[in-house]
Amino acid sequence: QVQLVESGGGLVQTGGSLRLSCAASGRTFSGYVMGWFRQAPGKEREFVATINRDGSGTYYRDSVKGRFTISRDNAKNTVYLQMNSLKPEDTAVYYCAAKWVRYSGTLYYRTDYDYWGQGTQVTVSS
């Protein structure tokens, strides 16, 4: 139902910014809660942010609150992650994910999403 392609990763210095994009296929994008996850070398994949179906609700892990902003444009079938004040500990492969949900207010931080992108590398230098 959904194919996801991330873009926008790269190498930045501490304190810099990046904007990640995740383009989704299909005509039912608004039926999915969306999430961003990341995985550093040797570490488990961890939740970063999630956004509900119409973009009115968001939730973040504590370490990125105030620095990262998740948003979506359902007309463009795209979800974004604006990353500001980047730190070396933000270095990871970032993945977007989609999960079909019945309730429009659903926010989802578990890893059992239905669909995943291929990931995009974010590297923050010291």
Side-chain angles (χ1 to χ4, degrees):
Q1 289 180 310
V2 175
Q3 293 177 322
L4 306 173
V5 180
E6 301 100 331
S7 62
L11 173 64
V12 297
Q13 294 183 354
T14 297
S17 297
L18 284 173
R19 189 193 193 200
L20 307 184
S21 298
C22 177
S25 65
R27 295 189 293 272
T28 57
F29 182 65
S30 63
Y32 295 85
V33 63
M34 301 295 296
W36 285 98
F37 295 77
R38 66 189 183 188
Q39 188 167 22
K43 302 291 186 179
E44 293 293 311
R45 187 170 300 186
E46 67 180 17
F47 166 76
V48 176
T50 183
I51 187 166
N52 71 348
R53 284 166 47 182
D54 68 0
S56 63
T58 61
Y59 181 72
Y60 304 87
R61 70 177 298 110
D62 286 344
S63 62
V64 309
K65 288 179 180 176
R67 300 189 298 120
F68 291 10
T69 302
I70 187 172
S71 61
R72 68 192 293 164
D73 186 339
N74 287 352
K76 296 182 177 179
N77 281 16
T78 303
V79 63
Y80 306 95
L81 186 67
Q82 179 67 47
M83 309 166 66
N84 299 326
S85 302
L86 284 162
K87 305 174 181 179
E89 53 260 46
D90 296 318
T91 295
V93 176
Y94 283 71
Y95 300 89
C96 65
K99 183 175 177 64
W100 182 263
V101 294
R102 176 176 181 179
Y103 302 107
S104 61
T106 299
L107 297 167
Y108 207 75
Y109 55 82
R110 295 168 59 184
T111 58
D112 58 331
Y113 273 69
D114 298 319
Y115 306 99
W116 293 86
Q118 83 288 350
T120 185
Q121 177 70 47
V122 171
T123 302
V124 185
S125 63
S126 301

Short mmCIF file of all heavy atoms in Angstrom, two decimals, residues 2 7 12-13 21 25-26 33 35 39 46 54 57 64 67 72 74 76-77 86 91 93 110 116 123-125:
data_model
loop_
_atom_site.label_atom_id
_atom_site.label_comp_id
_atom_site.label_asym_id
_atom_site.label_seq_id
_atom_site.Cartn_x
_atom_site.Cartn_y
_atom_site.Cartn_z
N VAL A 2 1.98 1.24 0.71
CA VAL A 2 2.81 2.43 0.86
C VAL A 2 4.27 2.07 0.64
O VAL A 2 4.78 1.10 1.20
CB VAL A 2 2.64 3.05 2.26
CG1 VAL A 2 3.61 4.21 2.45
CG2 VAL A 2 1.21 3.53 2.45
N SER A 7 15.00 11.25 2.23
CA SER A 7 16.06 12.04 1.64
C SER A 7 16.40 13.18 2.60
O SER A 7 15.67 13.44 3.54
CB SER A 7 15.66 12.59 0.27
OG SER A 7 14.54 13.45 0.38
N VAL A 12 26.85 17.42 8.92
CA VAL A 12 26.77 18.78 9.44
C VAL A 12 27.60 18.90 10.71
O VAL A 12 27.91 17.90 11.36
CB VAL A 12 25.32 19.21 9.75
CG1 VAL A 12 24.48 19.23 8.48
CG2 VAL A 12 24.69 18.29 10.79
N GLN A 13 27.96 20.13 11.06
CA GLN A 13 28.67 20.39 12.30
C GLN A 13 27.70 20.48 13.46
O GLN A 13 26.50 20.73 13.29
CB GLN A 13 29.47 21.68 12.19
CG GLN A 13 30.61 21.64 11.19
CD GLN A 13 31.41 22.92 11.17
OE1 GLN A 13 31.07 23.90 11.83
NE2 GLN A 13 32.50 22.92 10.42
N SER A 21 13.16 14.50 4.53
CA SER A 21 11.87 14.31 3.87
C SER A 21 11.63 12.83 3.67
O SER A 21 12.56 12.05 3.48
CB SER A 21 11.83 15.02 2.52
OG SER A 21 11.99 16.42 2.66
N SER A 25 4.23 6.79 -1.48
CA SER A 25 3.37 6.48 -2.61
C SER A 25 1.95 6.24 -2.13
O SER A 25 1.69 6.12 -0.93
CB SER A 25 3.90 5.24 -3.35
OG SER A 25 3.82 4.09 -2.52
N GLY A 26 1.02 6.17 -3.07
CA GLY A 26 -0.35 5.83 -2.73
C GLY A 26 -1.26 7.03 -2.58
O GLY A 26 -0.82 8.17 -2.43
N VAL A 33 -0.66 6.96 10.51
CA VAL A 33 0.20 7.67 11.43
C VAL A 33 1.62 7.49 10.93
O VAL A 33 1.98 6.43 10.40
CB VAL A 33 0.03 7.16 12.88
CG1 VAL A 33 0.45 5.70 13.01
CG2 VAL A 33 0.79 8.03 13.86
N GLY A 35 5.95 8.06 11.55
CA GLY A 35 6.98 8.16 12.57
C GLY A 35 8.36 8.28 11.97
O GLY A 35 8.59 7.92 10.82
N GLN A 39 18.83 4.80 14.10
CA GLN A 39 19.66 3.71 14.57
C GLN A 39 21.12 4.08 14.40
O GLN A 39 21.58 4.29 13.28
CB GLN A 39 19.34 2.41 13.83
CG GLN A 39 20.03 1.19 14.40
CD GLN A 39 19.46 -0.10 13.86
OE1 GLN A 39 18.87 -0.13 12.78
NE2 GLN A 39 19.64 -1.18 14.60
N GLU A 46 15.66 3.35 17.68
CA GLU A 46 14.93 4.07 18.70
C GLU A 46 13.96 5.07 18.09
O GLU A 46 14.21 5.65 17.03
CB GLU A 46 15.87 4.79 19.67
CG GLU A 46 16.68 5.92 19.07
CD GLU A 46 17.60 6.58 20.08
OE1 GLU A 46 17.85 5.98 21.15
OE2 GLU A 46 18.08 7.69 19.81
N ASP A 54 -3.75 13.82 10.50
CA ASP A 54 -3.94 15.13 9.88
C ASP A 54 -2.89 16.16 10.30
O ASP A 54 -2.98 17.33 9.93
CB ASP A 54 -5.35 15.67 10.15
CG ASP A 54 -5.60 16.03 11.60
OD1 ASP A 54 -4.70 15.87 12.44
OD2 ASP A 54 -6.73 16.47 11.90
N GLY A 57 -1.37 16.51 15.82
CA GLY A 57 -0.77 16.03 17.03
C GLY A 57 0.61 15.44 16.78
O GLY A 57 0.83 14.78 15.76
N VAL A 64 15.06 15.02 21.96
CA VAL A 64 14.95 15.87 20.77
C VAL A 64 13.89 16.95 20.93
O VAL A 64 13.76 17.81 20.04
CB VAL A 64 14.67 15.06 19.49
CG1 VAL A 64 15.68 13.93 19.35
CG2 VAL A 64 13.25 14.52 19.47
N ARG A 67 14.15 20.71 19.74
CA ARG A 67 15.14 20.79 18.67
C ARG A 67 14.61 20.26 17.34
O ARG A 67 14.94 20.79 16.28
CB ARG A 67 16.40 20.01 19.04
CG ARG A 67 17.09 20.53 20.30
CD ARG A 67 18.45 19.86 20.49
NE ARG A 67 18.34 18.42 20.66
CZ ARG A 67 18.92 17.52 19.85
NH1 ARG A 67 19.64 17.93 18.81
NH2 ARG A 67 18.77 16.23 20.09
N ARG A 72 3.81 17.14 8.36
CA ARG A 72 3.40 16.38 7.18
C ARG A 72 2.57 17.26 6.27
O ARG A 72 1.90 18.20 6.71
CB ARG A 72 2.63 15.11 7.56
CG ARG A 72 1.26 15.36 8.18
CD ARG A 72 0.69 14.07 8.79
NE ARG A 72 0.39 13.06 7.78
CZ ARG A 72 0.18 11.78 8.05
NH1 ARG A 72 0.25 11.34 9.31
NH2 ARG A 72 -0.10 10.93 7.07
N ASN A 74 -0.15 16.27 3.61
CA ASN A 74 -0.89 15.15 3.03
C ASN A 74 -1.16 15.34 1.54
O ASN A 74 -1.28 14.35 0.81
CB ASN A 74 -2.20 14.93 3.79
CG ASN A 74 -1.98 14.31 5.16
OD1 ASN A 74 -0.87 13.90 5.50
ND2 ASN A 74 -3.04 14.25 5.95
N LYS A 76 0.93 16.41 -0.53
CA LYS A 76 2.16 16.00 -1.19
C LYS A 76 2.62 14.61 -0.79
O LYS A 76 3.69 14.17 -1.23
CB LYS A 76 3.28 17.00 -0.90
CG LYS A 76 3.02 18.40 -1.44
CD LYS A 76 4.19 19.33 -1.15
CE LYS A 76 3.96 20.70 -1.75
NZ LYS A 76 5.08 21.63 -1.46
N ASN A 77 1.85 13.93 0.04
CA ASN A 77 2.23 12.59 0.52
C ASN A 77 3.63 12.58 1.11
O ASN A 77 4.44 11.68 0.83
CB ASN A 77 2.13 11.56 -0.61
CG ASN A 77 0.71 11.11 -0.88
OD1 ASN A 77 -0.26 11.74 -0.46
ND2 ASN A 77 0.58 10.01 -1.60
N LEU A 86 21.77 20.41 16.12
CA LEU A 86 22.19 19.02 16.09
C LEU A 86 23.41 18.77 16.96
O LEU A 86 24.29 19.63 17.08
CB LEU A 86 22.47 18.59 14.65
CG LEU A 86 21.21 18.33 13.83
CD1 LEU A 86 21.52 18.34 12.35
CD2 LEU A 86 20.58 16.99 14.24
N THR A 91 23.82 11.48 15.53
CA THR A 91 24.34 10.74 14.40
C THR A 91 23.72 9.35 14.34
O THR A 91 23.77 8.59 15.30
CB THR A 91 25.86 10.62 14.49
OG1 THR A 91 26.45 11.92 14.38
CG2 THR A 91 26.41 9.73 13.38
N VAL A 93 21.40 6.49 11.25
CA VAL A 93 20.56 6.35 10.08
C VAL A 93 19.13 6.62 10.51
O VAL A 93 18.65 6.02 11.48
CB VAL A 93 20.68 4.95 9.45
CG1 VAL A 93 19.72 4.80 8.28
CG2 VAL A 93 22.11 4.69 8.99
N ARG A 110 5.92 2.73 19.04
CA ARG A 110 6.46 1.38 18.96
C ARG A 110 7.09 1.16 17.58
O ARG A 110 6.86 1.90 16.63
CB ARG A 110 5.37 0.36 19.23
CG ARG A 110 4.82 0.43 20.65
CD ARG A 110 3.56 -0.39 20.81
NE ARG A 110 3.77 -1.80 20.51
CZ ARG A 110 2.79 -2.71 20.49
NH1 ARG A 110 1.55 -2.34 20.78
NH2 ARG A 110 3.07 -3.96 20.19
N TRP A 116 8.34 0.75 6.13
CA TRP A 116 9.57 1.46 6.47
C TRP A 116 10.28 1.93 5.21
O TRP A 116 10.25 1.25 4.18
CB TRP A 116 10.52 0.55 7.25
CG TRP A 116 10.00 0.18 8.61
CD1 TRP A 116 9.17 -0.84 8.92
CD2 TRP A 116 10.32 0.85 9.84
NE1 TRP A 116 8.93 -0.85 10.28
CE2 TRP A 116 9.62 0.16 10.86
CE3 TRP A 116 11.11 1.94 10.17
CZ2 TRP A 116 9.70 0.55 12.20
CZ3 TRP A 116 11.19 2.33 11.49
CH2 TRP A 116 10.48 1.62 12.49
N THR A 123 25.03 12.57 9.92
CA THR A 123 26.28 12.57 10.67
C THR A 123 26.54 13.97 11.18
O THR A 123 26.56 14.93 10.40
CB THR A 123 27.45 12.10 9.80
OG1 THR A 123 27.19 10.79 9.28
CG2 THR A 123 28.74 12.07 10.61
N VAL A 124 26.74 14.09 12.49
CA VAL A 124 27.01 15.37 13.13
C VAL A 124 28.42 15.33 13.69
O VAL A 124 28.71 14.54 14.58
CB VAL A 124 26.00 15.67 14.25
CG1 VAL A 124 26.23 17.06 14.81
CG2 VAL A 124 24.57 15.54 13.73
N SER A 125 29.28 16.18 13.18
CA SER A 125 30.68 16.19 13.58
C SER A 125 30.88 17.01 14.84
O SER A 125 30.17 17.98 15.10
CB SER A 125 31.56 16.74 12.46
OG SER A 125 31.23 18.10 12.18
#
